[in-house]
Amino acid sequence: MKKNILSIALLIFSCVVLSAQQKETKPNVILITLDGLRWQELFGGADSLLISNKKYTKNITHLKDKFWANTPEERRKILFPFIWSTIKEKGQIYGNRKHENNVDLTNNKWFSYPGYNEILTGKADDERIVSNSKLPNPNTTILETINQSETYKNKVAAFTSWDVFPYIINEKRSGVPVNAGFDIANEEELTIYEAYLNKLQTVTPSPWGSVRLDVFTHHYALEYMKKNHPKFMYISYGETDDFAHDGNYSAYLQSANTTDGFIKELWEFTQQDNFYKNNTTFIITTDHGRGTNPIDTWRSHGKDIEGADEVWLIAFGNKIKSTGEQTYKNQLYSNQIARTIAEILGVEITDKTIGNKLEFITY
């Protein structure tokens, strides 16, 4: 009798464990954006017209020692070592217009709120999203859609450097927690590291009034992932756009290089954590491009800036074929990202106005 009871108990326990393991096999997605990072630097490294321009580079010798090489392929690997080694080997990289491999916006505004709306909702809204003002997004983002699904309810989170994101994501309506701008970690139980980040951010000045330094966004996000294991995580780094607006090419390059290291750290964490290992897809992109001709327009974007609609896309990890840089003629759009995320996570989207999924990314 005791053996039968023990056998039944073991069977029940095995079923519980199996059930938990099956739930853990549900896929995860980490969506990352680098605000206003040009495709020119992603695919060609430091720009020869900017790195030698005294107007935008204070210490030319130092910057060249750090980021210059003779070929675009060498320069991009110096600037983005993780992207052009690990990601190139494990994933897919789109947007090198020198190969006519194009990724473009479909909105006609070509600045941040419209760009993020397009990425996150899967469609442009040129009638209502016309500024960067802190107005609640009337559209439903993919974060909200995923958060409302039975499988992923309360398993979605966003960490961003720009303080407009609670409105872009419509935090109040969507129920998606958004740590943005100069927000601190405010959960009831903080880790020692979160408490330290709170203290450090409070006494660290930012060059900008609405954007914090990316180092805080990154480490708040990473600490949250370690503690809460969200299934769908959105991280938006902002420094590249703001340093570009400032005309500081040195800081723009340094920030881009640092963010490459942040992405590497996120990847390495997911490969060591059983919750994320071998079950997590990374998608990385930008909200808009920047000018290049005339060269002074690299600081700006918007519908009057040629090339500000030119963006790029990276995908790697679970469900992504390892085909590296795409060097064939092709056209993708930012409005395809939202439906692709839904497809990866197995959540149905019935809205036919949202961009088509990226058929050749997922398998």
Side-chain angles (χ1 to χ4, degrees), residues 322-339:
S322 302
T323 56
E325 180 184 5
Q326 310 301 299
T327 58
Y328 59 94
K329 185 177 181 179
N330 190 49
Q331 180 66 64
L332 301 180
Y333 295 99
S334 294
N335 69 354
Q336 297 180 265
I337 294 171
R339 192 179 293 276

Side-chain angles (χ1 to χ4, degrees), residues 27-174:
N28 311 299
V29 167
I30 300 174
L31 173 64
I32 299 171
T33 53
L34 282 68
D35 199 309
L37 179 74
R38 300 195 309 171
W39 69 266
Q40 287 89 342
E41 277 80 21
L42 177 63
F43 291 98
D47 190 323
S48 61
L49 297 178
L50 289 169
I51 199 169
S52 299
N53 190 319
K54 293 181 180 179
K55 183 178 179 180
Y56 301 123
T57 303
K58 300 300 181 184
N59 192 329
I60 294 174
T61 301
H62 172 75
L63 200 63
K64 282 190 171 182
D65 285 344
K66 191 166 187 179
F67 293 119
W68 188 253
N70 291 327
T71 68
E73 290 74 23
E74 290 175 296
R75 293 197 298 272
R76 71 187 188 184
K77 194 166 185 179
I78 293 171
L79 187 60
F80 300 102
F82 181 69
I83 290 175
W84 290 109
S85 57
T86 301
I87 294 180
K88 183 182 178 183
E89 293 173 0
K90 294 182 177 294
Q92 301 180 26
I93 306 173
Y94 296 85
N96 191 341
R97 304 182 86 87
K98 292 183 178 180
H99 297 297
E100 296 186 80
N101 190 271
N102 300 341
V103 185
D104 290 283
L105 301 174
T106 64
N107 77 78
N108 63 21
K109 305 302 179 185
W110 306 355
F111 59 87
S112 290
Y113 197 147
Y116 288 121
N117 172 75
E118 180 174 338
I119 292 167
L120 297 177
T121 70
K123 55 185 175 182
D125 188 350
D126 294 327
E127 298 299 319
R128 295 182 295 181
I129 309 299
V130 296
S131 75
N132 284 334
S133 298
K134 293 180 177 179
L135 299 173
N137 196 340
N139 304 299
T140 300
T141 69
I142 188 63
L143 292 108
E144 182 172 352
T145 299
I146 299 301
N147 192 53
Q148 289 177 347
S149 70
E150 183 177 347
T151 302
Y152 295 99
K153 182 68 176 176
N154 298 322
K155 297 176 182 178
V156 181
F159 285 76
T160 74
S161 293
W162 191 31
D163 68 359
V164 180
F165 269 102
Y167 301 87
I168 297 173
I169 297 171
N170 203 328
E171 182 177 15
K172 290 184 178 180
R173 187 192 66 208
S174 68

Side-chain angles (χ1 to χ4, degrees), residues 7-46:
S7 297
I8 293 172
L10 288 172
L11 179 62
I12 293 173
F13 176 77
S14 299
C15 290
V16 170
V17 172
L18 179 61
S19 177
Q21 289 175 339
Q22 288 173 338
K23 288 180 180 178
E24 291 304 310
T25 64
K26 295 289 184 181
N28 311 299
V29 167
I30 300 174
L31 173 64
I32 299 171
T33 53
L34 282 68
D35 199 309
L37 179 74
R38 300 195 309 171
W39 69 266
Q40 287 89 342
E41 277 80 21
L42 177 63
F43 291 98

